[in-house]
Amino acid sequence: MLSSPTTARKGNIVSAIGMLIAILTTLTAMTEIKWIWIIIGAATGAAIGAVAARLVKMTSMPQMVGLFNGFGGLASLLVGWSEFHGSWSTGGSTDLFTIVAILLTVLIGSVTFSGSLLAFGKLSATITSKPLLYKGQNIINAIILLTIVILGVLFCSDKLDQATVFGISAKYMVLLFCIVLALVLGVLSTIGIGGADMPVVICLLNSYSGLAACAAGFVIRNNVLIVSGSLVGASGLVLTNIMCKAMNRSLANVLFSGFGSATSAKAGKYQGQAKSISAKDAYLILEASSNVVFVPGYGMAAAQAQHFVRELADLLEENGTQVRYCIHPVAGRMPGHMNVLLAEANVPYEQLVEPQDVNPTIETVDVAIVIGANDVVNPAAREDQNSPLWGMPIINVDRAQTCIVLKRSLNPGFAGVDNPLFFKDNTRMLFGDAKASIGALVSEFKD
Ligand code: NAP
């Protein structure tokens, strides 16, 4: 059900019910349960989730997902920590397998928690979204990681079993130190990544939260947690890989290059005369066309233009025009961003196509309407070897008969790279807010 937008909502509900059954089954199998705490915890979580679902706008979904990943990491961290605390306070011994699982749970959980909070801050603009770069950044991170590994080995060995520091168990101190270092590592490894790369980081952190849950499953010997954690871990990694491929960048480049910093932007590179067009003239072109492709991007989400887009598509179809929507995998600011918005506007799923479905025959398309997309249609990715976008697969709208670009200015998009598309002979710029422009086209059609 999750593999198709038409059934995905149902799939989510089924998954949630499945998870609830798993939790209730696990709880009823346990003795000495303080139900009152379970009920308070579940009710608080459900209340926060219900309020968040109503208050959070679709465009804020990436940071919301980031925050939820962070909570997942925190939950795993607490499970691992409490499990160790339980055996330590009763003086019981823990086998090596469990101790390694506890260590992995708290470490991955801590990195996920603090990294996700930072990603949330960057995406919600609570903190600056610019990558914070400083000298020796990767070396410092590597030293912290190495320290964690050394302390981790110490923690898992029996060398510290009887040792105390200031009367406190040395083993417990090492664990706490590992948690603090992992929290710091989560922040430091995310701080150097630009806000717009955060969706990739969030996918990766999502994968981490799954791995942390999986490790927690080994700690408390819970199969459902192991299986669901592995699923999240694997799917998060697959999604991260898909996004990196669609941007033609390696994961290392996303994590370590500081993409989006002032030095990587190349604004003002292409010069020329962009030809603007009025809604009336754009209507005349559209009215005479038999094959139109919409190419939505982040601007459609920002303008919330999806409902007008659907209305325009309906009018075009009534006029005998074939309409398709070509969705680039990294259009917008989160995976599936455009699909979600168009599904909200009830766009038939069959009309959504991928770049490889459109590009080979793009010359036969009468009009490509670019709605607030920029990087994903930038021909510099194909034409300019020095462009930061070089090699990124794009939608070749510049090769359509006519390309109408809806945006407010000639400003670059997320990558900060100028777009030669605006200066091509067959491109016309319909300047303005995408919702207002599409609304004007709809009015022209209705008139
Ligand atoms: P984009 O390159 O960021 O361009 C969006 C354009 O929308 C801007 O140039 C802006 O131009 C325009 N715009 C903004 N508000 C508008 C409004 N109200 N009305 C009309 N236009 C508006 O977007 P994209 O082509 O969708 O590309 C997405 C970028 O994000 C890619 O570089 C991708 O690699 C990156 N990214 C995506 C994801 C993901 O999961 N989707 C993840 C990480 C990174 P004006 O200011 O001139 O209006």
Side-chain angles (χ1 to χ4, degrees):
M1 284 180 186
L2 292 174
S3 62
S4 159
T6 40
T7 50
R9 198 182 284 255
K10 227 187 255 169
N12 263 321
I13 293 171
V14 172
S15 311
I17 293 173
M19 213 53 206
L20 182 68
I21 294 172
I23 292 168
L24 288 177
T25 311
T26 305
L27 288 172
T28 45
M30 289 166 80
T31 48
E32 296 177 36
I33 280 273
K34 295 217 169 64
W35 280 99
I36 184 69
W37 288 113
I38 301 292
I39 291 166
I40 291 174
T44 313
I48 294 173
V51 172
R54 287 207 172 18
L55 293 188
V56 176
K57 286 198 214 126
M58 199 40 112
T59 41
S60 308
M61 227 13 113
Q63 50 264 44
M64 196 66 208
V65 174
L67 197 60
F68 283 163
N69 282 343
F71 289 158
L74 180 64
S76 301
L77 159 66
L78 294 177
V79 168
W81 187 352
S82 81
E83 203 61 21
F84 179 77
H85 185 87
S87 70
W88 168 80
S89 56
T90 53
S93 69
T94 316
D95 61 286
L96 182 63
F97 180 84
T98 310
I99 221 73
V100 172
I102 287 176
L103 181 72
L104 288 176
T105 307
V106 298
L107 288 183
I108 308 174
S110 305
V111 171
T112 309
F113 175 55
S114 60
S116 299
L117 282 192
L118 205 95
F120 169 79
K122 285 200 173 205
L123 278 176
S124 60
T126 317
I127 55 173
T128 174
S129 65
K130 284 223 168 334
L132 190 86
L133 303 172
Y134 51 88
K135 227 174 152 202
Q137 193 158 20
N138 291 337
I139 295 174
I140 293 175
N141 290 351
I143 291 173
I144 297 176
L145 187 62
L146 193 70
T147 315
I148 291 176
V149 171
I150 294 168
L151 288 176
V153 172
L154 255 180
F155 175 75
C156 295
S157 73
D158 50 13
K159 299 239 168 357
L160 298 179
D161 277 358
Q162 307 304 329
T164 56
V165 181
F166 305 122
I168 304 167
S169 155
K171 201 162 181 145
Y172 208 145
M173 294 277 274
V174 167
L175 181 70
L176 293 181
F177 202 47
C178 279
I179 292 175
V180 173
L181 283 179
L183 288 171
V184 173
L185 187 65
V187 171
L188 292 187
S189 52
T190 318
I191 210 158
I193 304 169
D197 269 346
M198 277 303 138
V200 185
V201 176
I202 283 176
C203 284
L204 193 66
L205 290 168
N206 179 27
S207 169
Y208 288 176
S209 75
L211 293 180
C214 177
F218 281 109
V219 173
I220 60 171
R221 306 283 202 271
N222 185 297
N223 289 342
V224 174
L225 210 48
I226 295 171
V227 172
S228 53
S230 310
L231 268 173
V232 175
S235 58
L237 268 187
V238 170
L239 195 52
T240 309
N241 191 30
I242 289 175
M243 288 170 80
C244 288
K245 270 201 180 142
M247 293 194 287
N248 195 36
R249 292 169 59 200
S250 65
L251 183 59
N253 178 276
V254 171
L255 298 181
F256 305 120
S257 75
F259 197 80
S261 65
T263 46
S264 65
K266 287 225 171 63
K269 194 172 173 191
Y270 307 101
Q271 305 295 335
Q273 188 71 43
K275 292 172 272 301
S276 68
I277 191 171
S278 66
K280 199 174 181 65
D281 289 343
Y283 153 72
L284 291 174
I285 297 177
L286 286 172
E287 204 271 331
S289 60
S290 56
N291 182 356
V292 166
V293 171
F294 286 107
V295 180
Y298 172 69
M300 183 183 84
Q304 285 293 295
Q306 63 274 20
H307 294 282
F308 277 169
V309 172
R310 164 80 209 261
E311 207 178 334
L312 179 61
D314 287 348
L315 289 166
L316 280 166
E317 282 185 314
E318 275 169 30
N319 197 38
T321 310
Q322 186 206 11
V323 177
R324 285 173 299 167
Y325 300 77
C326 186
I327 314 291
H328 193 282
V330 292
R333 290 291 181 272
M334 64 171 178
H337 203 171
M338 299 299 116
N339 304 59
V340 171
L341 292 175
L342 294 174
E344 183 196 309
N346 293 322
V347 167
Y349 186 57
E350 315 79 67
Q351 288 185 353
L352 306 192
V353 289
E354 296 182 8
Q356 59 268 29
D357 302 323
V358 169
N359 277 344
T361 52
I362 192 98
E363 290 83 3
T364 62
V365 170
D366 293 327
V367 187
I369 310 182
V370 177
I371 311 159
N374 195 340
D375 295 342
V376 299
V377 292
N378 192 333
R382 229 181 35 225
E383 296 168 352
D384 181 359
Q385 290 205 19
N386 299 318
S387 169
L389 295 178
W390 170 249
M392 169 172 156
I394 58 154
I395 303 168
N396 296 326
V397 290
D398 56 313
R399 291 178 175 165
Q401 298 295 316
T402 306
C403 174
I404 302 179
V405 179
L406 278 64
K407 68 198 293 288
R408 297 161 306 174
S409 64
L410 294 178
N411 285 346
F414 144 71
V417 180
D418 264 0
N419 194 339
L421 171 71
F422 308 154
F423 310 116
K424 301 258 177 191
D425 284 343
N426 57 337
T427 301
R428 296 292 176 275
M429 303 295 301
L430 180 50
F431 286 114
D433 174 75
K435 191 175 181 178
S437 299
I438 297 274
L441 286 172
V442 167
S443 305
E444 289 291 339
F445 260 99
K446 285 186 175 165
D447 288 351

